Amino acid sequence: MIAAESNSPPAGPPFEPDRRLAEYETLLDIGVKLSGTLELATVLELALENAEEVCRAETSSIWELDEERKELFFRVVRGSAAGAIRDLRVPLGAGIVGSVAASGEAEVVNDVAADPRWQGDASDEFQTRAILAVPLRAQGKIIGVVQLLNPVGRDRFTAGDLWRMRQFAAILAPALQNARLWTAQRRQFFHTVTALAEALEKRDPYTGGHVRRVVAYTVLLGRQMGLSREELRDLRLAATLHDVGKITIPDRILGKPSPLEPDEVEIMRRHAADGASIVSHLANPWVLHGVRSHHERVDGKGYPDGLTDPEIPLAARIIAVADTYDAMTTSRPYRSGLPHERAAAEILGSAGTQFCPRVVTAFRALCDLGRFSLETAEDAVRAISDVNPQP
Amino acid sequence: MIAAESNSPPAGPPFEPDRRLAEYETLLDIGVKLSGTLELATVLELALENAEEVCRAETSSIWELDEERKELFFRVVRGSAAGAIRDLRVPLGAGIVGSVAASGEAEVVNDVAADPRWQGDASDEFQTRAILAVPLRAQGKIIGVVQLLNPVGRDRFTAGDLWRMRQFAAILAPALQNARLWTAQRRQFFHTVTALAEALEKRDPYTGGHVRRVVAYTVLLGRQMGLSREELRDLRLAATLHDVGKITIPDRILGKPSPLEPDEVEIMRRHAADGASIVSHLANPWVLHGVRSHHERVDGKGYPDGLTDPEIPLAARIIAVADTYDAMTTSRPYRSGLPHERAAAEILGSAGTQFCPRVVTAFRALCDLGRFSLETAEDAVRAISDVNPQP
């Protein structure tokens, strides 16, 4: 076992002088790559790719520390041991990975069978011979461990491997921490806005779950239309907030158990422009347009701006179909919800008048495949949700 | 002039072999430091500190590209030219810095007077002789320029200086971009939540501006009590959302122009627990506690949980004083607002019964200094606001 003393790092890399520059150049490149994104999934993928570039091994993995439970959970793995350890959680201090996280000292164990802490392989499919495990430290705290199993093309992990992985861990840890913070902040933002939009919806006694369903149908249609993951996320936020302007509509109109009078319709219609003014701080065109223009019609008879086909933003076109479909298929006190077939026929028949023909084409394709359902739609939402930064 | 060809970077650093490792070690250290934070102000400060470590110069500065206006704006500067150029904006393509941003090519100009692009110094206090300007590129796009003026301890900027600054810019650009994205996301989150809270408040015709004032008084009291900038930000969010549970209270109670009946008081009081359930997704204890417990009293007679002194969270104690002070000093249809002196006397007289004595001590100290005012409070809020990522 080679224990690395964190207090006395070697003065320079343990390589021939000719190799040293190349080692540093590789590390600098990796650092620039890792800091080039805040997406947690991308950072993790780059991390393992580059761990293998730095030190060839049969398997590499990253463990993160769940501070509350004092456990390491398994974040990503490459190589043949993947299946066996995906769901493992290891108490802080247990085994070799847990002991590296607890001590904060990097370790090479070239004969695991001889190490009293070794707890055996999780499956027969993979036999661990040697481990190189290095703690990940951000802002002075251990946040996880990066681990390599079984060197490839050499007998043992060397002092050079240890040096490289320690340098690599120093670069990876802040990138991983930044991506976790970023993802956590984005999730919080989205969940808070969703919670507010859903609370708001409770004022209207007849539309329980409307926001959630419109979000799901909107994302499903957007995905069918080929939008990117980032675009779908913006669209999801727009759909979540599409009715936020109803915040200012009085209860007596919002909760009226019968059709509205013309003056009440006028007040109800204000929600589109009022909503747009509430979300104007977001400075996100998808959200702004989706909220303001989801009641526009391609024939120009919609509101608040009476836009016509080429002027209506894409987010609004998509939300319009999702919103109308959900309104038609759910019951109100003064009318029953339509079955899917009837509602779908209405949507198809309104292409080019109420709805954008391109969105209706996507809707029709999903219907033809039997895939325009709430279940499929909610799967589409889950697929664009963030990696949980702390499972 | 030494023009660096971005297509053909030098194969290695132009230094004696002995120096090369030290150069790389410095760069790796800088990379780890820069990626250790997402705070824009900290990244900028570290950037200039380290630019000077990399290449000594009389002045260093960072310019960012405002893509919409096609202008470089001036972000930070160190050294003697600071005063003269703080408000400068330079069109893309103009002068040496603008030309580096437009071409994406690093440049050394060792005799600025001989360069036709040179537009002269902004002030007599500083005389520019030589410029080293390197573009900052993130995800393939130019986001700004880092610039050094006048080498110290040598006649000219050298090929070694250029090499170092290009390496440095490659490390700095993603760190700067990440901090801009992080800050922009945090601002968006905060502004969206504020816009929603303020829209919500409009349902209650008698409390216009209450949220904004409670936020300000809360931050002022928190600062007086010695809370950190991060804590004050959490506290600000808690105060912004303190009444969010009122979303579910019917208009007839919320807007009643006379004191409430006992059953209506019961419904009104639900806003604390309802609000806590809305913000539970934030997973932020300051916000959760501030929203749930801002109507608790240290004598145990508050709601919703009847907590007593040691159990009431700090956020709730502070918001309670700010909220009550604002309610007392503003008018309702059935009573006029009190002048400051009367309201302050009420607060001081309720220390140990309704209010936490420590918060009241902070309130008294501010009153004694004549600093418990809306103006001072709003200054305190501005002081903890984010650096604008795109002025």
Side-chain angles (χ1 to χ4, degrees):
Chain A
M1 181 179 113
I2 308 168
E5 303 287 320
S6 69
N7 303 334
S8 53
F15 305 110
E16 298 302 305
D18 290 358
R19 283 278 304 280
R20 291 181 178 182
L21 280 187
E23 295 282 343
Y24 275 119
E25 270 161 18
T26 303
L27 286 165
L28 270 176
D29 276 354
I30 291 174
V32 169
K33 266 190 271 179
L34 280 172
S35 60
T37 177
L38 288 166
E39 291 294 331
L40 188 51
T42 313
V43 169
L44 291 167
E45 196 178 308
L46 283 171
L48 292 191
E49 249 170 46
N50 287 292
E52 296 185 6
E53 189 181 331
V54 168
C55 279
R56 274 173 314 124
E58 291 177 16
T59 292
S60 57
S61 60
I62 292 174
W63 299 75
E64 282 181 49
L65 181 60
D66 178 341
E67 278 212 43
E68 213 155 293
R69 300 218 229 162
K70 303 276 174 226
E71 283 177 347
L72 291 160
F73 65 91
F74 182 68
R75 179 60 92 174
V76 276
V77 64
R78 279 164 80 106
S80 51
I85 64 170
R86 202 170 291 282
D87 295 321
L88 278 188
R89 291 184 79 99
V90 172
L92 191 61
I96 293 163
V97 70
S99 137
V100 165
S103 69
E105 303 290 337
E107 287 199 39
V108 168
V109 181
N110 271 318
D111 179 7
V112 292
D115 191 297
R117 296 166 300 176
W118 174 241
Q119 299 172 322
D121 281 302
S123 124
D124 293 344
E125 287 165 46
F126 186 84
Q127 202 203 337
T128 303
R129 301 185 318 271
I131 292 179
L132 193 175
V134 181
L136 294 165
R137 198 181 261 108
Q139 273 139 9
K141 285 168 79 172
I142 303 290
I143 61 164
V145 174
V146 53
Q147 180 177 264
L148 301 179
L149 302 187
N150 300 351
V152 168
R154 56 211 187 285
D155 284 346
R156 315 164 54 81
F157 286 118
T158 63
D161 292 329
L162 180 62
W163 180 87
R164 280 190 200 100
M165 285 305 289
R166 291 178 71 191
Q167 299 284 328
F168 175 69
I171 293 167
L172 172 59
L176 182 60
Q177 180 70 351
N178 287 348
R180 287 167 80 185
L181 290 170
W182 167 261
T183 307
Q185 191 186 60
R186 185 164 61 187
R187 277 169 63 92
Q188 282 215 350
F189 180 23
F190 183 68
H191 285 146
T192 303
V193 168
T194 300
L196 285 162
E198 290 183 350
L200 196 58
E201 168 179 79
K202 291 203 183 106
R203 289 182 60 222
D204 181 344
Y206 311 118
T207 56
H210 176 66
V211 168
R212 192 174 53 80
R213 291 190 302 270
V214 172
V215 166
Y217 294 139
T218 299
V219 171
L220 181 64
L221 287 167
R223 189 175 70 175
Q224 181 69 22
M225 295 177 75
L227 299 187
S228 72
R229 191 182 162 93
E230 276 313 303
E231 290 169 328
L232 290 174
R233 280 188 174 145
D234 285 336
L235 187 60
R236 175 181 64 167
L237 191 57
T240 303
L241 289 166
H242 79 281
D243 271 348
V244 72
K246 288 192 177 168
I247 209 164
T248 58
I249 296 174
D251 291 350
R252 66 180 166 82
I253 296 175
L254 205 55
K256 191 174 177 185
S258 52
L260 301 179
E261 298 301 319
D263 62 320
E264 294 170 334
V265 168
E266 271 315 297
I267 293 173
M268 189 65 131
R269 288 184 164 195
R270 283 185 205 153
H271 82 275
D274 283 357
S277 102
I278 292 171
V279 300
S280 63
H281 275 108
L282 253 116
N284 179 324
W286 288 79
V287 176
L288 194 63
H289 295 154
V291 173
R292 184 172 185 94
S293 306
H294 70 281
H295 286 292
E296 299 290 353
R297 298 169 49 114
V298 291
D299 60 11
K301 294 181 183 163
Y303 63 89
D305 301 307
L307 302 179
T308 53
D309 190 359
E311 301 157 338
I312 304 174
L314 183 59
R317 294 162 188 256
I318 300 173
I319 294 170
V321 171
D323 189 24
T324 308
Y325 176 86
D326 185 63
M328 284 197 290
T329 52
T330 50
S331 298
R332 294 288 189 280
Y334 46 90
R335 61 160 178 73
S336 304
L338 297 178
H340 167 75
E341 291 68 27
R342 290 273 308 281
E346 289 266 353
I347 302 259
L348 299 181
S350 304
T353 51
Q354 185 173 355
F355 301 120
C356 164
R358 283 190 298 135
V359 181
V360 175
T361 299
F363 175 77
R364 184 199 301 268
L366 287 162
C367 290
D368 289 349
L369 294 164
R371 292 181 62 77
F372 197 87
S373 69
L374 191 56
E375 204 187 335
T376 315
E378 291 190 330
D379 284 345
V381 173
R382 270 188 290 276
I384 60 160
S385 294
D386 276 315
V387 175
N388 192 336
Q390 186 72 283
Chain B
M1 181 179 111
I2 308 168
E5 302 286 319
S6 69
N7 304 332
S8 54
F15 305 109
E16 295 304 303
D18 290 357
R19 283 276 305 280
R20 291 182 179 182
L21 280 186
E23 295 281 344
Y24 274 120
E25 270 161 17
T26 304
L27 286 165
L28 269 177
D29 276 356
I30 291 174
V32 170
K33 264 190 271 178
L34 279 172
S35 61
T37 178
L38 287 167
E39 291 294 332
L40 189 51
T42 314
V43 169
L44 290 167
E45 195 178 308
L46 283 171
L48 292 191
E49 250 170 46
N50 287 292
E52 296 186 5
E53 190 181 330
V54 168
C55 279
R56 273 173 315 123
E58 289 177 18
T59 291
S60 56
S61 60
I62 293 174
W63 299 74
E64 283 181 49
L65 181 60
D66 178 341
E67 278 213 40
E68 213 156 292
R69 299 219 230 162
K70 304 274 174 229
E71 281 177 349
L72 292 159
F73 65 91
F74 183 69
R75 179 61 93 171
V76 277
V77 66
R78 278 165 81 106
S80 51
I85 65 171
R86 204 171 290 282
D87 295 321
L88 276 189
R89 291 184 79 101
V90 172
L92 191 61
I96 293 163
V97 70
S99 134
V100 165
S103 69
E105 304 289 338
E107 288 198 38
V108 169
V109 181
N110 271 318
D111 179 6
V112 292
D115 191 299
R117 296 166 302 177
W118 176 242
Q119 300 172 322
D121 281 302
S123 127
D124 292 345
E125 286 165 45
F126 187 84
Q127 201 203 338
T128 303
R129 301 186 318 271
I131 292 181
L132 193 175
V134 182
L136 295 165
R137 197 181 261 110
Q139 274 138 8
K141 285 167 80 172
I142 303 290
I143 61 165
V145 174
V146 55
Q147 180 177 263
L148 301 179
L149 301 187
N150 301 353
V152 168
R154 56 210 186 286
D155 283 347
R156 317 164 52 80
F157 286 119
T158 63
D161 292 329
L162 179 62
W163 181 87
R164 280 188 200 102
M165 285 305 288
R166 291 179 70 193
Q167 299 285 328
F168 174 70
I171 294 167
L172 171 59
L176 183 60
Q177 179 70 351
N178 288 347
R180 287 167 80 186
L181 290 170
W182 167 262
T183 307
Q185 191 186 60
R186 185 163 61 187
R187 278 169 62 93
Q188 282 215 348
F189 180 22
F190 182 70
H191 284 145
T192 302
V193 168
T194 300
L196 284 162
E198 290 183 350
L200 198 57
E201 169 179 78
K202 291 202 183 111
R203 289 184 61 221
D204 181 344
Y206 311 118
T207 56
H210 176 66
V211 168
R212 192 175 53 81
R213 291 190 304 269
V214 172
V215 166
Y217 294 139
T218 298
V219 171
L220 180 64
L221 287 167
R223 189 176 71 176
Q224 181 69 22
M225 296 176 75
L227 299 186
S228 72
R229 190 181 163 92
E230 277 311 303
E231 289 169 329
L232 289 174
R233 279 187 176 147
D234 285 337
L235 187 61
R236 175 181 62 167
L237 191 57
T240 303
L241 289 167
H242 79 284
D243 271 348
V244 73
K246 289 192 175 167
I247 209 165
T248 57
I249 296 173
D251 291 349
R252 65 181 166 80
I253 297 175
L254 204 56
K256 192 172 176 185
S258 53
L260 300 180
E261 299 301 319
D263 62 321
E264 294 169 333
V265 168
E266 271 317 295
I267 292 172
M268 190 65 132
R269 288 184 164 196
R270 283 184 205 155
H271 82 275
D274 284 356
S277 101
I278 292 171
V279 300
S280 61
H281 275 108
L282 254 116
N284 180 323
W286 288 80
V287 176
L288 195 63
H289 295 153
V291 173
R292 183 173 185 94
S293 306
H294 69 281
H295 286 290
E296 300 289 354
R297 298 169 49 111
V298 293
D299 61 11
K301 295 181 183 163
Y303 63 90
D305 302 307
L307 302 178
T308 53
D309 190 358
E311 301 157 337
I312 303 173
L314 182 59
R317 294 162 188 256
I318 299 173
I319 294 170
V321 171
D323 189 25
T324 308
Y325 176 86
D326 185 62
M328 284 196 291
T329 51
T330 50
S331 298
R332 294 289 189 279
Y334 46 90
R335 61 160 178 73
S336 304
L338 299 178
H340 167 77
E341 292 67 26
R342 292 272 308 281
E346 290 268 350
I347 302 260
L348 299 180
S350 304
T353 52
Q354 184 173 357
F355 301 120
C356 164
R358 283 191 297 135
V359 181
V360 175
T361 300
F363 174 79
R364 184 199 301 269
L366 286 162
C367 290
D368 289 350
L369 294 163
R371 293 181 60 77
F372 197 87
S373 70
L374 191 56
E375 203 186 336
T376 315
E378 290 190 331
D379 284 345
V381 172
R382 271 188 290 276
I384 61 161
S385 294
D386 277 314
V387 175
N388 193 336
Q390 186 71 282

